[in-house]
Amino acid sequence: NAITAEKLELADGIHGRLQIGGRLQIDSGSWLYTISEPLSGSVLKLAASEVVIAEGGGINANGSGYRRGINTTGRDMAGLGPGGGIGATGDGSGGGYGGRGGRSKNASGGNVYGDPLWPLQPGSGGAGRGGYLGMAGGNGGGLIWLEVDGKITLDGTLTANGNVGQHHGGGSGGAIFIECRKLLGGEEALLSVAGGNGSSGTAGSNG
């Protein structure tokens, strides 16, 4: 099981760019994890001439977006990000992104944000439960950004789901943004940006 690339080159930018000089291949049983900066949402764009992802392998950005809200002072703690869940006494709401976050009893869900045609931000964190120390929501899903000169052969998984809220609001799903000339997918190929469920009926919305 392996992830292979002919050459790696890191370039600076708003998000940053990881240039792979040739083909990126992810074999079955191998995973590449992309992690967004939890405060700013910055992430690396993966650029290659060709990408091949085998069944049973893939790129995983689950819970690697904007950080969850966690109550460390006894006060309400909102999730981070443009659609962060809103903290309230006794509960907290889910993070929003492509749709509004799931509301709680005492707080409306996180805001809608981003461009549906150019989804270049990760998901937002869910809010932690107010009034109780250590009560946390769920992290938002990350951003998977692929820039490929040729084709992508996807038989595996690209996933950027939000995390379940430990104590109230779930994180919103992140985003998958693909630029390529041709995309080929098998029957087992999966792309997922689901929002995380929240406790006590509070949920984060999908990315």
Side-chain angles (χ1 to χ4, degrees), residues 103-132:
R103 65 167 296 112
S104 64
K105 181 179 179 181
N106 298 311
S108 58
N111 291 327
V112 176
Y113 63 97
D115 186 335
L117 297 180
W118 296 87
L120 297 177
Q121 292 176 275
S124 293
R129 183 180 182 184
Y132 299 86

Side-chain angles (χ1 to χ4, degrees), residues 15-203:
H15 284 286
R17 187 170 185 265
L18 183 62
Q19 179 66 51
I20 299 165
R23 182 171 72 173
L24 170 64
Q25 180 168 326
I26 302 176
D27 293 338
S28 179
S30 297
W31 291 88
L32 179 63
Y33 292 86
T34 64
I35 301 174
S36 303
E37 203 288 318
L39 302 180
S40 69
S42 297
V43 70
L44 283 177
K45 174 170 64 173
L46 301 176
S49 61
E50 181 183 359
V51 173
V52 178
I53 301 176
E55 182 180 346
I59 301 176
N60 187 326
N62 291 343
S64 68
Y66 287 106
R67 188 177 297 166
R68 63 188 181 174
I70 182 168
N71 190 329
T72 58
T73 62
R75 298 182 178 181
D76 306 339
M77 191 61 188
L80 299 185
I86 299 169
T89 301
D91 60 26
S93 65
Y97 192 172
R100 196 167 185 87
R103 65 167 296 112
S104 64
K105 181 179 179 181
N106 298 311
S108 58
N111 291 327
V112 176
Y113 63 97
D115 186 335
L117 297 180
W118 296 87
L120 297 177
Q121 292 176 275
S124 293
R129 183 180 182 184
Y132 299 86
L133 289 176
M135 298 296 179
N139 290 336
L143 168 64
I144 297 174
W145 187 357
L146 298 176
E147 182 186 81
V148 181
D149 296 332
K151 69 178 179 180
I152 297 175
T153 303
L154 177 63
D155 293 305
T157 299
L158 302 179
T159 178
N161 298 333
N163 280 355
V164 172
Q166 293 179 332
H167 302 95
H168 285 276
S172 66
I176 299 171
F177 188 66
I178 297 173
E179 301 171 276
C180 65
R181 291 185 179 276
K182 182 183 292 186
L183 176 61
L184 304 176
E187 293 182 358
E188 300 301 320
L190 174 67
L191 288 80
S192 179
V193 289
N197 291 329
S199 61
S200 301
T202 305

